[in-house]
Amino acid sequence: MIRHREDLIAGPIINLVAARGEVTDAAWERIEPLLPQADGRGRPWRDHRQVVNGVLWRLRTGAPWRDLPQRYGPWQTVYERFARWEADGTWARLLEHVQVRDDAMGRVEWTVAVDSTINRAHQHAAGARKRGQQAGDNLEDPGRSQARQALGRSRGGLTTKVHLAVDGRGLPLSIVLTPGNVNDATAFTQVLDEICIPRIVTGRPRTTPTRVLGDKAYSSRAIRHLLRRRGITATIPERRDQIANRRRRGNLGGRPPVFDKGVYRDRNVVERCFSRLKQFRAIATRFDKLATRYRAGVVLVSLILWLRESTR
């Protein structure tokens, strides 16, 4: 009798926990029509929603794929679907679809903030082989392999740096991975080039924000010249050494760049975005060996953030 009573109590609790962090009905209505309808192998798909919820559970908890709860189906199926949709660009297309729809409705705020965050790589993230490499083959330079997989070694160990450009609401527009020891300014051009939202009607994709907000790490003559050439207003504070050098040269140092302190306060949206992304433990700590797999997780979590904002 006591055991039966415990089961009656535990059942609803398990159901409540299972629903936490999963795709809502409103969000599912947005993305279900965009998912592949056939797997190309003559076999029926396992329920897409069940698999997507399984991927989200793994991203949220950071647990190994083998520990996936049975309610999401075989862990091999969930992992294979996650990897397959990363390879064919399904996750990226879903994120692009949501971005295009919000931009067409005028919701995207084109005052863009850029920044990066360093995420520690777990020991399971190291040791990825290059394509076609077999056990016992001569290994290439470990440093080059780590750089290719966006792993950088520092005093804290292996790390990966995630560079983001977010709109005025703090939603990711571009995602770039580099080793953790790469300078922010080095990846700025790639981050800016990754911003690309197609139009629903004919026309060129939207690639140029009206303003870019960045911290002192992006204060360089090359970056300011790039933004000026593209017609983008820069709100980036000068570093102390740059200010001292300009003053020391007198009239030859030129005028200080325009800087609006009031507008710069909005740069915190990118910090808040990093905070929301790191609510998913598999993003805050990298467990994936391949950079493409880890980036696919960041893309999927970014999709969830966009869906939460657009379905409010």
Side-chain angles (χ1 to χ4, degrees), residues 1-10:
M1 175 65 72
I2 296 177
R3 181 60 180 273
H4 178 67
R5 184 181 304 170
E6 291 178 351
D7 293 340
L8 292 177
I9 297 174

PDB file of all heavy atoms in Angstrom, residues 1-10:
ATOM      1  N   MET A   1       0.833  -1.199   0.000  1.00  0.00           N
ATOM      2  CA  MET A   1       0.000   0.000   0.000  1.00  0.00           C
ATOM      3  C   MET A   1       0.870   1.252   0.000  1.00  0.00           C
ATOM      4  O   MET A   1       0.608   2.202  -0.718  1.00  0.00           O
ATOM      5  CB  MET A   1      -0.921  -0.032   1.222  1.00  0.00           C
ATOM      6  CG  MET A   1      -1.743   1.248   1.373  1.00  0.00           C
ATOM      7  SD  MET A   1      -2.919   1.494   0.023  1.00  0.00           S
ATOM      8  CE  MET A   1      -4.094   0.211   0.455  1.00  0.00           C
ATOM      9  N   ILE A   2       1.918   1.224   0.831  1.00  0.00           N
ATOM     10  CA  ILE A   2       2.791   2.395   0.905  1.00  0.00           C
ATOM     11  C   ILE A   2       3.513   2.599  -0.421  1.00  0.00           C
ATOM     12  O   ILE A   2       3.618   3.705  -0.937  1.00  0.00           O
ATOM     13  CB  ILE A   2       3.794   2.236   2.064  1.00  0.00           C
ATOM     14  CG1 ILE A   2       3.038   2.186   3.405  1.00  0.00           C
ATOM     15  CG2 ILE A   2       4.807   3.362   2.045  1.00  0.00           C
ATOM     16  CD1 ILE A   2       3.928   1.964   4.584  1.00  0.00           C
ATOM     17  N   ARG A   3       3.988   1.485  -1.008  1.00  0.00           N
ATOM     18  CA  ARG A   3       4.697   1.600  -2.279  1.00  0.00           C
ATOM     19  C   ARG A   3       3.760   2.111  -3.378  1.00  0.00           C
ATOM     20  O   ARG A   3       4.144   2.935  -4.228  1.00  0.00           O
ATOM     21  CB  ARG A   3       5.267   0.227  -2.661  1.00  0.00           C
ATOM     22  CG  ARG A   3       6.051   0.220  -3.975  1.00  0.00           C
ATOM     23  CD  ARG A   3       7.221   1.182  -3.881  1.00  0.00           C
ATOM     24  NE  ARG A   3       7.978   1.193  -5.108  1.00  0.00           N
ATOM     25  CZ  ARG A   3       8.969   0.348  -5.376  1.00  0.00           C
ATOM     26  NH1 ARG A   3       9.307  -0.580  -4.479  1.00  0.00           N
ATOM     27  NH2 ARG A   3       9.622   0.422  -6.506  1.00  0.00           N
ATOM     28  N   HIS A   4       2.496   1.648  -3.359  1.00  0.00           N
ATOM     29  CA  HIS A   4       1.536   2.099  -4.358  1.00  0.00           C
ATOM     30  C   HIS A   4       1.281   3.595  -4.212  1.00  0.00           C
ATOM     31  O   HIS A   4       1.183   4.325  -5.201  1.00  0.00           O
ATOM     32  CB  HIS A   4       0.241   1.312  -4.205  1.00  0.00           C
ATOM     33  CG  HIS A   4      -0.820   1.742  -5.174  1.00  0.00           C
ATOM     34  ND1 HIS A   4      -0.700   1.550  -6.533  1.00  0.00           N
ATOM     35  CD2 HIS A   4      -2.016   2.380  -4.983  1.00  0.00           C
ATOM     36  CE1 HIS A   4      -1.765   2.024  -7.142  1.00  0.00           C
ATOM     37  NE2 HIS A   4      -2.582   2.536  -6.231  1.00  0.00           N
ATOM     38  N   ARG A   5       1.211   4.074  -2.979  1.00  0.00           N
ATOM     39  CA  ARG A   5       0.982   5.498  -2.739  1.00  0.00           C
ATOM     40  C   ARG A   5       2.172   6.309  -3.230  1.00  0.00           C
ATOM     41  O   ARG A   5       2.014   7.388  -3.809  1.00  0.00           O
ATOM     42  CB  ARG A   5       0.739   5.733  -1.253  1.00  0.00           C
ATOM     43  CG  ARG A   5       0.380   7.173  -0.900  1.00  0.00           C
ATOM     44  CD  ARG A   5       0.187   7.320   0.596  1.00  0.00           C
ATOM     45  NE  ARG A   5      -0.832   6.383   1.076  1.00  0.00           N
ATOM     46  CZ  ARG A   5      -1.068   6.166   2.378  1.00  0.00           C
ATOM     47  NH1 ARG A   5      -0.356   6.801   3.287  1.00  0.00           N
ATOM     48  NH2 ARG A   5      -2.006   5.309   2.737  1.00  0.00           N
ATOM     49  N   GLU A   6       3.384   5.800  -3.006  1.00  0.00           N
ATOM     50  CA  GLU A   6       4.571   6.519  -3.490  1.00  0.00           C
ATOM     51  C   GLU A   6       4.584   6.616  -5.011  1.00  0.00           C
ATOM     52  O   GLU A   6       4.968   7.628  -5.582  1.00  0.00           O
ATOM     53  CB  GLU A   6       5.840   5.807  -3.001  1.00  0.00           C
ATOM     54  CG  GLU A   6       6.057   5.908  -1.498  1.00  0.00           C
ATOM     55  CD  GLU A   6       7.286   5.142  -1.059  1.00  0.00           C
ATOM     56  OE1 GLU A   6       7.842   4.412  -1.906  1.00  0.00           O
ATOM     57  OE2 GLU A   6       7.679   5.264   0.112  1.00  0.00           O
ATOM     58  N   ASP A   7       4.141   5.538  -5.697  1.00  0.00           N
ATOM     59  CA  ASP A   7       4.092   5.582  -7.155  1.00  0.00           C
ATOM     60  C   ASP A   7       3.097   6.607  -7.654  1.00  0.00           C
ATOM     61  O   ASP A   7       3.328   7.301  -8.645  1.00  0.00           O
ATOM     62  CB  ASP A   7       3.732   4.204  -7.705  1.00  0.00           C
ATOM     63  CG  ASP A   7       4.842   3.180  -7.457  1.00  0.00           C
ATOM     64  OD1 ASP A   7       5.977   3.618  -7.219  1.00  0.00           O
ATOM     65  OD2 ASP A   7       4.556   1.972  -7.503  1.00  0.00           O
ATOM     66  N   LEU A   8       1.960   6.726  -6.959  1.00  0.00           N
ATOM     67  CA  LEU A   8       0.957   7.707  -7.364  1.00  0.00           C
ATOM     68  C   LEU A   8       1.481   9.125  -7.225  1.00  0.00           C
ATOM     69  O   LEU A   8       1.132  10.013  -8.005  1.00  0.00           O
ATOM     70  CB  LEU A   8      -0.315   7.525  -6.526  1.00  0.00           C
ATOM     71  CG  LEU A   8      -1.112   6.239  -6.774  1.00  0.00           C
ATOM     72  CD1 LEU A   8      -2.301   6.181  -5.819  1.00  0.00           C
ATOM     73  CD2 LEU A   8      -1.580   6.167  -8.216  1.00  0.00           C
ATOM     74  N   ILE A   9       2.313   9.351  -6.214  1.00  0.00           N
ATOM     75  CA  ILE A   9       2.875  10.680  -5.999  1.00  0.00           C
ATOM     76  C   ILE A   9       4.024  10.951  -6.971  1.00  0.00           C
ATOM     77  O   ILE A   9       4.160  12.034  -7.532  1.00  0.00           O
ATOM     78  CB  ILE A   9       3.357  10.832  -4.543  1.00  0.00           C
ATOM     79  CG1 ILE A   9       2.165  10.702  -3.595  1.00  0.00           C
ATOM     80  CG2 ILE A   9       4.069  12.157  -4.338  1.00  0.00           C
ATOM     81  CD1 ILE A   9       2.557  10.695  -2.136  1.00  0.00           C
ATOM     82  N   ALA A  10       4.859   9.906  -7.203  1.00  0.00           N
ATOM     83  CA  ALA A  10       6.045  10.106  -8.039  1.00  0.00           C
ATOM     84  C   ALA A  10       5.682  10.305  -9.499  1.00  0.00           C
ATOM     85  O   ALA A  10       6.376  11.023 -10.221  1.00  0.00           O
ATOM     86  CB  ALA A  10       6.997   8.911  -7.900  1.00  0.00           C
TER      87      ALA A  10
END
